[in-house]
Amino acid sequence: LEVMLGHVLSSTIEYVLLEHFNTLDFNNLTIGHVINKPLKFLEGKPFKEFARNQKLPCNEALLKFMRMTDLRAALLYRNIDAALLRDFIIDDRSIIASNGASFPHKSWKHERNFSSFPVFLNMISKEPSISFEKAITKITSVPAIKYRIKQRGLIREQYYADVVVLKDDAPDTVIINGKIVFEHGKFRERRAGAILRHR
């Protein structure tokens, strides 16, 4: 980190960095997480808004942002190829998982932290080449088997009761380790989860 920060602060390679930043699509860049408390208000803001407020071109604003946060921030860059994604998710070898970064509890959360599975199931509902049942295995039993997570991923005797009941493609009831933690759109005041480790 110190070496990278040294490069970012160096005036000798500033031109190279600014030229490289010009290749980014700033319309798809969002400020995700900032460690520096006085800059927390920036979380969740489009990067172009930050650049406008700084009265700088986007490439110069990015360099300034990197310097003022000492590289201790996360930017989210939306650059998904929809056709390629479709090929991946229907492939027999693919497993679906959320790709949200593990930010602190009270930080701003990107939609990928809480809607990866509903978005996947919504995509599958319009995809004739894979059944809904097969799609469900990609987020339940297939990853449990692949990563050797015992007694998970199936509704079976002697297995932990982890169940999500869907209504209109959204979670209605969530049961973790046999305890209801979410019901009819409301969270219950209980934590039933545990860190899972493969064996």
Side-chain angles (χ1 to χ4, degrees):
L1 182 63
E2 289 176 5
V3 172
M4 289 191 297
L5 186 57
H7 292 318
V8 166
L9 295 172
S10 170
S11 58
T12 57
I13 63 167
E14 184 173 310
Y15 172 78
V16 177
L17 291 173
L18 293 175
E19 283 294 301
H20 175 68
F21 295 159
N22 275 332
T23 65
L24 298 175
D25 179 3
F26 285 97
N27 292 313
N28 289 314
L29 198 63
T30 303
I31 299 171
H33 174 60
V34 183
I35 289 177
N36 191 331
K37 286 187 180 178
L39 299 176
K40 282 280 185 193
F41 72 96
L42 294 171
E43 293 181 341
K45 302 277 194 306
F47 190 81
K48 285 186 89 171
E49 183 180 318
F50 171 78
R52 264 195 316 274
N53 290 338
Q54 296 295 313
K55 298 183 176 149
L56 290 170
C58 286
N59 64 336
E60 292 180 25
L62 180 54
L63 186 60
K64 180 174 182 178
F65 181 78
M66 293 167 82
R67 288 171 173 171
M68 63 194 288
T69 60
D70 292 330
L71 293 181
R72 287 175 170 86
L75 297 174
L76 305 171
Y77 189 45
R78 184 183 293 274
N79 60 345
I80 296 171
D81 180 324
L84 190 60
L85 177 62
R86 179 254 176 207
D87 290 344
F88 279 134
I89 67 171
I90 66 169
D91 190 279
D92 285 340
R93 295 165 294 177
S94 68
I95 291 174
I96 308 303
S98 64
N99 66 342
S102 181
F103 296 148
H105 174 62
K106 293 187 177 178
S107 294
W108 174 83
K109 300 288 191 294
H110 189 268
E111 63 186 10
R112 67 181 66 177
N113 286 85
F114 54 83
S115 66
S116 295
F117 297 121
V119 168
F120 163 67
L121 293 174
N122 185 273
M123 290 171 70
I124 289 302
S125 69
K126 301 168 187 144
E127 180 54 58
S129 60
I130 182 172
S131 69
F132 190 78
E133 291 77 12
K134 177 107 181 242
I136 291 295
T137 68
K138 287 176 169 286
I139 59 177
T140 55
S141 59
V142 173
I145 292 165
K146 170 74 176 171
Y147 295 106
R148 302 191 306 277
I149 301 171
K150 304 294 184 187
Q151 298 175 283
R152 304 266 180 187
L154 294 169
I155 299 175
R156 183 179 283 175
E157 192 174 342
Q158 299 299 316
Y159 273 50
Y160 293 94
D162 294 336
V163 179
V164 177
V165 179
L166 300 173
K167 182 177 180 182
D168 300 324
D169 294 330
D172 178 71
T173 303
V174 178
I175 301 168
I176 298 176
N177 290 329
K179 296 178 182 173
I180 298 174
V181 296
F182 182 80
E183 189 173 25
H184 310 312
K186 293 183 180 174
F187 284 99
R188 293 193 173 185
E189 290 295 323
R190 63 167 54 144
R191 295 182 183 182
I195 295 172
L196 301 182
R197 303 184 189 281
H198 76 84
R199 294 175 185 169

